[in-house]
Amino acid sequence: ERGAKTALVSESGEQDDRYETTPGVYESNGPIHPIVGEGYQLQIRTGNNKNYESEVVTMRDTPPIEEVSFKLEEKPSAGLMGIQFYVSTQDPNNDTWYYRWEWEETWIFRVAYRAYLKYEDGDIKSREENLYTCWKSGRSTSIEVATSKSLARDIINEYPMYYVSSETDRLRERYS
């Protein structure tokens, strides 16, 4: 929806207006700091003055991740070997039931050729720093969700979070 006015409104009356950054995409001007136990509602007014409101959703306390594990596995669909990362968690109060995760990764890699020289102030000079070793980072681009709603207990065990193929340079030296 383009040209709408959107806001996240708390039960206590605080309002976080969203701004259209690109057509149909709305973002906050700053970080949101929801309060556990408080209810929030998304309100939308379209360009043709139709109003929409979500249900009020109470912010729940997030159970900690209990374990991140990994296994060397083959992805049969691609015929590739790699590392499958898993996440496990639970809510002993049986109150969460729905989970969403994001991840970040960082790894070391080496460039194909070392840079021994640099161009500075019109001259070619020797480099003092090592530009052979680099670090690269990435973030999740998919929405990782799981539910334990159909289970007797609120437990997520070894949810397959992310797969890193051995075909990439990510697992060669250091990975986190």
Side-chain angles (χ1 to χ4, degrees):
E1 179 70 30
R2 296 180 181 182
K5 294 183 189 257
T6 64
L8 185 63
V9 181
S10 71
E11 287 178 316
S12 63
E14 290 187 43
Q15 183 168 319
D16 178 36
D17 292 323
R18 305 303 166 110
Y19 300 93
E20 193 168 11
T21 55
T22 57
V25 176
Y26 297 85
E27 296 180 15
S28 177
N29 270 346
I32 301 168
H33 302 288
I35 299 168
V36 172
E38 178 134 18
Y40 295 88
Q41 181 182 57
L42 179 62
Q43 298 177 350
I44 302 170
R45 175 179 231 142
T46 65
N48 60 358
N49 289 324
K50 288 187 178 181
N51 292 318
Y52 296 91
E53 295 179 344
S54 71
E55 297 281 330
V56 174
V57 176
T58 302
M59 178 67 181
R60 294 181 179 181
D61 195 15
T62 304
I65 292 174
E66 291 187 346
E67 181 181 30
V68 175
S69 59
F70 61 91
K71 296 177 187 170
L72 178 64
E73 291 184 6
E74 180 182 359
K75 284 287 182 191
S77 59
L80 299 173
M81 291 297 291
I83 302 293
Q84 176 69 60
F85 291 92
Y86 296 92
V87 63
S88 297
T89 189
Q90 69 174 316
D91 181 0
N93 298 325
N94 282 339
D95 193 37
T96 302
W97 305 111
Y98 298 95
Y99 297 85
R100 179 179 183 267
W101 296 281
E102 296 176 342
W103 50 261
E104 295 178 14
E105 63 180 339
T106 301
W107 66 95
I108 191 171
F109 70 97
R110 310 277 183 205
V111 295
Y113 301 101
R114 289 182 190 248
Y116 294 105
L117 304 173
K118 64 181 173 180
Y119 183 76
E120 185 177 84
D121 300 325
D123 290 326
I124 295 177
K125 299 178 181 179
S126 292
R127 254 188 211 287
E128 294 175 17
E129 66 274 312
N130 179 359
L131 291 183
Y132 176 69
T133 303
C134 301
W135 293 89
K136 189 167 182 177
S137 295
R139 299 181 70 110
S140 52
T141 56
S142 59
I143 298 173
E144 298 298 332
V145 293
T147 182
S148 56
K149 192 67 178 168
S150 62
L151 303 176
R153 294 182 54 215
D154 193 356
I155 297 173
I156 302 292
N157 188 42
E158 292 193 342
Y159 172 80
M161 177 69 67
Y162 184 56
Y163 182 80
V164 180
S165 168
S166 61
E167 300 277 313
T168 71
D169 62 351
R170 293 179 182 165
L171 301 174
R172 282 200 186 127
E173 202 163 327
R174 291 189 184 159
Y175 182 87
S176 67

